[in-house]
Amino acid sequence: MLVRAVNLAISHQRQRLMGERTVRVEPVALVPMRADGVAYFGLTEDVRDMDWFAGRQYAATAGGLVVLNDAGQVIARYTILDGLPSHDLTALATFKEQLYIGTAHSGLISYDGRAFTQYRFVQPRAQHVTSLLAEEQRLLVGTFDGGLFEYDGHQFRHYTMPSASAQVTCVFSRYPEIYVGTFAQGLFVWRDGQWTRLTKKDGLPSDRITSIVEHDGKILASSDTGLVQVVAAGIVPLTPISNIAAMVRFGEHLFAGLVTGQIMRLPTSAQRSLSQVELTALTLPQNAACSALIEGAGRLWVCTTRGIYVTARPGVEPLERFDHTSTTFQLSAAHISALAMDWRGRLWIGYFDRGIDVVAPDEPRRLAHLEDLSIREINHIYPDELTRRMFIGTSRGVVMIDDMLKQQIYTEADGLISNAVAHVLPIPANMVFPLPDHQLVSEQAIVVATGRGLSIYADNRFRSLNAFHGLASNHLYTSARVGDKLFVGSLNGLNELEGLRVVRTFHTSNSKLSHNWVSALAVAGHTLYIGTYGGGVDALLPSGEMIGYASLIGRCSVNPNAMHVSGNRLYVGTLEHGLWILDIANNTWSRVNRGLGSLNVTAITSDAQAIYVATDYGLTRIPMAALTP
């Protein structure tokens, strides 16, 4: 009885020291969706972590979970179509015959080889898992928004850290001590039942800790500006090496992976100081940043933003690409900002920061990748079948690309009012210049909505309008043609133009417009559909009446130019609610939120067979037949 009482007292004391707050975690069995021909394309090239489970190698990527064989060939892929709540995976750890998976938005997931289970951290709330560390009797779960958790296979416990805003970046344990690195609050050490916090005031080169390892009995911690040893008395500076993203012990050496693309070996000889850093021959390909270093199967594995690399003898043998993506179509980036289908049936995918992919969608296969100083940050793509040119709105100006991918670029140097182009629309020149045809050199004008006003290109020159000329705002997002009228959406209302003159502005104060921030426009027949950022969707009918749909779909935020009309349907991409679909003939709405890379739908296009829905986490192809009620 005495032993039992002592154990119970110890348990109670441990709980008190860990924290008094109740831990509430809800397990949810994840069920695969019935795909019905739905296909998802993500960025599995961006690898965050690796582990071995049930004799197979697993990779956590920005495009889901990938299973590999010893040759690097893909055995299986798991995405939202297989039940995962998120593709943005961050960490892996094998614990008690389960593979545990950290996500950036959906908490913790376990996989038993057959099915997935999600653990939702409700109290305290946490969604962003940054690190997992498996020990024999516990799994440590570091989160960016909820601190540190411990799981014994049955129950979760929460460590109350001295800083309520401790954003955990890495976790290391030398039982019973726990070392926790954070994003901006320094290093926390759990020792003798209490926390000790170490910051720049205590000798850390920076309060941003990126990795913690044990080497030769020493606890080493890296920050974004240097490497230190952690001792009972505090911090011992070692070397000012910067940009370390990960560290690992491999053989007799300690290796550090840098976000700049190098793998560096730190000397371990007792006769040499750790401040003497030796660069190895391990250099990653251009634009590849190290995410994690892992020792396994007698080899050093390097997880990067451009795939997995491996070597058995670092510094002697070069890194080899463990090409887990070679047999599948890969997006060039996860964050898609624009989509368009051209007259040849090619899918154009514009990225937030990686230019454009031109893709044969049926295979799928990349036909070309366009990226340079002008074609990089893509805001809008418009296919003009009449002239067989693609009009590209970028942060560097307007780019026109012909059928053979030849480029022509217009910038402020050519008269464009601003290089920050949000939308491009070709229209008949006589809409804005009502002159006899023989006085016009060109029959086409190009309307360019920018961050500083409106520019219209015709007759080999730009003419521009801004708030001084009557626009509701200089910050423009979109434009549309309805018959012989031109409409331009702005930060402060909807502008109607005749020629180069603003004849009317729709505001919430003088019309039924649901919100002044007009982010997207689409036309079906003679009806103008208006997407707003915060008010949802409105429609300007041919009669001149404006109606709103907030009572049916809510006051959602429509993403810039994320509206598309195909057949008898209007597709609307929102910031937080996925994809809304209006059956125009029946005036009924339906919503799609499963099967998408995220609920942040950024662009939409279609062909005769399918609709393509882009998000900030990949691309989903949905057959038209799957949308039939």
Side-chain angles (χ1 to χ4, degrees):
M1 292 295 292
L2 179 60
V3 172
R4 181 181 178 186
V6 170
N7 288 338
L8 187 61
I10 293 173
S11 177
H12 287 167
Q13 176 70 355
R14 185 170 181 268
Q15 288 289 343
R16 184 188 69 78
L17 291 171
M18 287 179 65
E20 300 295 341
R21 289 191 293 175
T22 301
V23 178
R24 191 167 133 232
V25 179
E26 296 178 348
V28 179
L30 300 176
V31 180
M33 67 175 290
R34 293 183 178 179
D36 296 326
V38 176
Y40 168 79
F41 305 99
L43 189 64
T44 56
E45 188 179 42
D46 185 357
V47 182
R48 280 75 180 275
D49 201 2
M50 284 175 43
D51 204 355
W52 285 259
F53 170 67
R56 291 181 175 178
Q57 189 172 355
Y58 287 75
T61 80
L65 186 66
V66 178
V67 190
L68 309 167
N69 64 15
D70 291 340
Q73 297 170 325
V74 175
I75 299 172
R77 281 187 183 82
Y78 298 104
T79 69
I80 46 172
L81 303 182
D82 303 292
L84 289 180
S86 170
H87 292 115
D88 196 5
L89 309 185
T90 57
L92 295 176
T94 301
F95 175 67
K96 292 193 173 182
E97 300 182 347
Q98 300 258 354
L99 179 67
Y100 286 86
I101 307 159
T103 75
H105 306 286
S106 303
L108 182 67
I109 300 169
S110 68
Y111 177 60
D112 62 4
R114 299 179 301 276
F116 294 96
T117 299
Q118 180 185 14
Y119 296 92
R120 296 176 179 170
F121 294 91
V122 179
Q123 179 62 39
R125 184 173 175 80
Q127 292 181 306
H128 188 174
V129 176
T130 55
S131 54
L132 296 173
L133 179 64
E135 297 181 306
E136 185 177 353
Q137 297 298 326
R138 66 181 179 181
L139 175 71
L140 295 176
V141 182
T143 72
F144 200 76
D145 48 359
L148 179 66
F149 294 84
E150 177 184 296
Y151 183 51
D152 62 7
H154 302 284
Q155 183 179 6
F156 283 90
R157 299 181 179 90
H158 183 249
Y159 287 84
T160 301
M161 300 175 68
S163 173
S165 61
Q167 300 164 319
V168 177
T169 55
C170 54
V171 178
F172 178 79
S173 172
R174 184 169 65 180
Y175 192 84
E177 298 172 340
I178 302 175
Y179 298 81
V180 181
T182 68
F183 182 75
Q185 295 83 31
L187 178 69
F188 292 83
V189 182
W190 175 261
R191 183 186 294 124
D192 298 330
Q194 62 182 358
W195 287 105
T196 299
R197 182 183 179 188
L198 302 171
T199 67
K200 288 182 68 175
K201 295 180 180 179
D202 303 293
L204 283 177
S206 166
D207 286 335
R208 183 171 299 177
I209 306 301
T210 59
S211 183
I212 308 168
V213 298
E214 181 177 13
H215 183 69
D216 289 344
K218 302 173 182 177
I219 302 297
L220 305 178
S222 65
S223 72
D224 53 355
T225 57
L227 180 69
V228 299
Q229 180 184 347
V230 184
V231 297
I235 297 297
V236 177
L238 295 178
T239 177
I241 180 174
S242 300
N243 299 314
I244 295 178
M247 294 190 296
V248 70
R249 177 174 179 170
F250 181 73
E252 298 301 318
H253 297 285
L254 181 67
F255 288 88
L258 277 59
V259 295
T260 50
Q262 296 84 34
I263 310 300
M264 307 180 76
R265 186 176 64 201
L266 305 177
T268 61
S269 171
Q271 286 76 36
R272 303 182 66 184
S273 169
L274 280 175
S275 62
Q276 296 175 306
V277 179
E278 293 183 333
L279 273 174
T280 72
L282 302 181
T283 301
L284 297 172
Q286 188 177 8
N287 299 322
C290 178
S291 304
L293 292 177
I294 298 159
E295 186 277 330
R299 293 189 279 183
L300 175 65
W301 303 84
V302 185
C303 300
T304 80
T305 53
R306 293 289 181 267
I308 301 171
Y309 293 83
V310 61
T311 181
R313 302 172 66 192
V316 178
E317 297 178 358
L319 288 169
E320 295 182 4
R321 183 176 171 86
F322 201 63
D323 201 353
H324 71 287
T325 62
S326 59
T327 60
T328 59
F329 168 69
Q330 281 284 304
L331 298 174
S332 291
H335 191 166
I336 299 171
S337 51
L339 289 176
M341 192 70 65
D342 72 10
W343 46 90
R344 289 174 175 251
R346 299 176 297 189
L347 177 63
W348 291 59
I349 305 173
Y351 298 102
F352 178 75
D353 59 356
R354 282 299 312 278
I356 296 172
D357 281 337
V358 183
V359 175
D362 293 336
E363 301 181 41
R365 175 172 57 90
R366 183 185 292 109
L367 303 173
H369 179 72
L370 311 175
E371 183 178 1
D372 55 30
L373 291 178
S374 298
I375 305 177
R376 185 168 176 81
E377 295 145 347
I378 310 301
N379 295 319
H380 182 243
I381 305 175
Y382 186 94
D384 184 35
E385 188 171 0
L386 179 65
T387 61
R388 300 180 80 84
R389 290 185 297 178
M390 302 296 289
F391 291 88
I392 318 295
T394 80
S395 63
R396 308 290 179 90
V398 176
V399 181
M400 294 183 290
I401 304 178
D402 66 18
D403 209 19
M404 303 305 293
L405 303 184
K406 184 179 178 181
Q407 303 173 19
Q408 185 175 2
I409 301 169
Y410 291 107
T411 67
E412 293 177 11
D414 303 296
L416 187 64
I417 195 170
S418 170
N419 286 340
V421 176
H423 189 272
V424 187
L425 177 68
I427 62 172
N430 57 18
M431 275 188 60
V432 286
F433 306 112
L435 302 171
D437 290 347
H438 68 273
Q439 296 186 33
L440 292 172
V441 174
S442 171
E443 296 181 356
Q444 188 183 61
I446 304 167
V447 177
V448 184
T450 82
R452 292 210 300 262
L454 188 72
S455 287
I456 301 176
Y457 182 81
D459 286 350
N460 298 317
R461 69 187 182 98
F462 282 102
R463 298 167 175 86
S464 297
L465 305 174
N466 56 27
F468 177 79
H469 303 93
L471 289 176
S473 168
N474 286 335
H475 206 145
L476 309 180
Y477 289 89
T478 187
S479 62
R481 172 195 175 191
V482 183
D484 59 354
K485 296 180 179 179
L486 176 65
F487 292 88
V488 180
S490 79
L491 186 63
N492 192 35
L494 177 66
N495 304 274
E496 180 182 340
L497 280 73
E498 289 183 1
L500 295 175
R501 186 167 60 92
V502 179
V503 297
R504 183 177 180 184
T505 299
F506 296 85
H507 292 282
T508 55
S509 60
N510 65 8
S511 71
K512 293 183 179 179
L513 187 68
S514 61
H515 199 288
N516 284 334
W517 189 342
V518 177
S519 53
L521 297 172
V523 180
H526 290 282
T527 298
L528 177 67
Y529 291 95
I530 306 162
T532 71
Y533 205 81
V537 180
D538 303 318
L540 183 61
L541 305 180
S543 64
E545 178 187 5
M546 185 175 291
I547 61 173
Y549 294 102
S551 61
L552 299 176
I553 65 173
R555 295 179 64 83
C556 55
S557 295
V558 179
N559 275 320
N561 296 305
M563 292 177 67
H564 176 72
V565 173
S566 177
N568 204 35
R569 291 192 181 110
L570 169 71
Y571 300 91
V572 180
T574 70
L575 175 69
E576 65 281 83
H577 297 299
L579 178 71
W580 279 106
I581 305 174
L582 172 65
D583 186 315
I584 297 172
N586 298 320
N587 200 36
T588 57
W589 288 90
S590 58
R591 182 184 171 203
V592 175
N593 54 13
R594 295 199 69 191
L596 305 179
S598 79
L599 295 182
N600 182 14
V601 174
T602 53
I604 310 158
T605 193
S606 65
D607 56 22
Q609 293 76 38
I611 181 169
Y612 298 83
V613 184
T615 72
D616 53 350
Y617 280 99
L619 177 70
T620 300
R621 181 185 187 273
I622 307 174
M624 292 293 187
L627 297 172
T628 303

